[in-house]
Amino acid sequence: MQSKARIAGWSYSSLGTKLGQTPSTLVKQALASALHRAGMQHKQLDGFLSCPSLADQRFMWAHHLASECGVLPSSSHRGVHVATIDNGGASPVSMLLQARALIESRQCSAVAVVAGDAVSSLPPTQFLERANGSMHTPSDVRDTNGHAVEMADLAEPIIPHGYAHCARAHMQVHGLTREQLAMVAVLMSAQASYHPFALQRTPYDLNDVLSAPPVAPYTGLYECARKSDGAAALIVTSASFSFAPIQVLGGGEAAGPMGLAKKNSALLSSISSAAAAFEIAYKDAGVSEQVFFFVSVSVSVFVSVSVSVSLCLSDCVLISVSVSVSVSVS
């Protein structure tokens, strides 16, 4: 299947902990490098998408970034499509799918997709305050039939306790064990040991994970995302604008409610959006799961709504699913 949308450039900023640089500065680094790889200039962009920053919270964040990065104001008569997309941890892939839609509808010919933050540079108390503050559950949640859904009242820190709430449901309904859950961190640390930019290059064993300081029930320190600073950028273009080998073949999105249901049945039903996103992505790309040799699942830590996104890229044959805190890993 041929796609009109292609990834012409990609890059990243400095990466690490407590870099002392603002999210805007990091994004500018990543965007400049991605444009250089694509052989393009800022003035050729007619689309700019970004997701919010936790460390630098501003109104209309994408417009702020586009102005700092030299994309706005534009001298083009067509103007620039600029949007902030906030789907929690699914935002980067969701932005890529939005960029593809802009390209294939001919609203844009070159779209920058950028994301960056500097959470490790925040004081710990401020980080916890902002992370907890992002997780407000509506007081009255109802399903499409109008039935009230009782929501869980989570302890702080809210995000790890949200994971624990989901883990408990899987343990009670599906027999998931604590050891099986801990093996996710073991396997991910083994994969990270081969990645040159991973913050943790030493693999954990099962005992390391199980004996780590507890953060929430069923959740230890080594199972939590490490705070870091950095940014990344993609340049998505039309095939006629720039020939690039990576095509965006298909993608899918599905969502659940804000917050987490209290009862297991409602909870597990509401967090099944990842499976729905997979099916949509397969259908959109015109492929089946048998053609993929690598599947990556990324779970966000800064989200308040359950959103799942699947993406299919040509050549590298990859599905990336980014899901919110309301989805447990099993």
Side-chain angles (χ1 to χ4, degrees):
M1 177 182 293
Q2 292 295 315
S3 171
K4 297 177 182 178
R6 297 171 180 266
I7 298 178
W10 58 93
S11 195
Y12 45 86
S13 69
S14 301
L15 305 171
T17 58
K18 298 183 179 180
L19 297 180
Q21 301 182 61
T22 66
S24 296
T25 299
L26 295 168
V27 168
K28 288 169 69 175
Q29 292 176 16
L31 178 60
S33 183
L35 285 169
H36 178 75
R37 183 188 293 269
M40 296 172 55
Q41 298 178 328
H42 291 75
K43 64 183 180 181
Q44 293 175 279
L45 295 172
D46 53 9
F48 188 94
L49 305 176
S50 184
C51 52
S53 160
L54 191 73
D56 190 1
Q57 299 173 324
R58 295 175 185 266
F59 177 64
M60 297 175 66
W61 174 245
H63 289 73
H64 172 82
L65 275 183
S67 301
E68 283 211 7
C69 291
V71 178
L72 290 177
S74 171
S75 58
S76 170
H77 68 280
R78 292 183 59 187
V80 182
H81 180 104
V82 180
T84 302
I85 295 179
D86 186 1
N87 281 337
S91 296
V93 180
S94 190
M95 289 190 293
L96 183 53
L97 297 182
Q98 176 65 19
R100 185 187 75 153
L102 291 170
I103 294 296
E104 296 189 344
S105 65
R106 298 185 179 180
Q107 296 182 60
C108 296
S109 57
V111 181
V113 174
V114 302
D117 219 329
V119 293
S120 73
S121 294
L122 284 174
T125 54
Q126 190 175 22
F127 166 77
L128 284 173
E129 181 180 307
R130 293 187 182 185
N132 287 331
S134 69
M135 299 295 293
H136 293 297
T137 299
S139 58
D140 185 16
V141 177
R142 296 179 179 273
D143 62 22
T144 52
N145 294 318
H147 300 144
V149 179
E150 186 179 7
M151 306 303 286
D153 184 16
L154 301 173
E156 295 184 357
I158 294 177
I159 292 171
H161 279 85
Y163 282 116
H165 183 61
C166 295
R168 183 186 298 109
H170 270 280
M171 289 175 171
Q172 293 175 352
V173 175
H174 300 297
L176 177 71
T177 68
R178 181 67 184 92
E179 289 73 19
Q180 289 172 327
L181 193 64
M183 279 303 298
V184 175
V186 173
L187 295 174
M188 291 300 97
S189 70
Q191 183 175 350
S193 68
Y194 295 100
H195 198 297
F197 302 126
L199 295 180
Q200 171 64 34
R201 299 290 302 276
T202 303
Y204 301 131
D205 61 27
L206 185 59
N207 184 63
D208 291 331
V209 178
L210 292 175
S211 61
V215 178
Y218 322 113
T219 309
L221 183 63
Y222 295 159
E223 294 162 289
C224 296
R226 179 171 293 192
K227 294 186 295 181
S228 60
D229 299 354
L234 297 175
I235 308 300
V236 184
T237 68
S238 63
S240 59
F241 185 89
S242 172
F243 177 79
I246 302 177
Q247 302 174 42
V248 184
L249 295 183
E253 298 185 62
M258 293 280 282
L260 301 173
K262 184 175 182 178
K263 295 182 178 179
N264 288 346
S265 57
L267 173 64
L268 296 178
S269 175
S270 68
I271 65 175
S272 62
S273 51
F278 266 113
E279 293 302 320
I280 296 169
Y282 290 142
K283 184 176 180 179
D284 188 34
V287 297
S288 66
E289 63 271 21
Q290 283 79 19
V291 306
F292 294 95
F293 62 78
F294 180 74
V295 177
S296 172
V297 179
S298 173
V299 183
S300 165
V301 294
F302 307 124
V303 278
S304 54
V305 58
S306 170
V307 179
S308 299
V309 178
S310 295
L311 175 70
C312 305
L313 298 176
S314 65
D315 296 339
C316 58
V317 195
L318 162 70
I319 293 181
S320 176
V321 182
S322 184
V323 295
S324 79
V325 68
S326 59
V327 181
S328 66
V329 179
S330 61

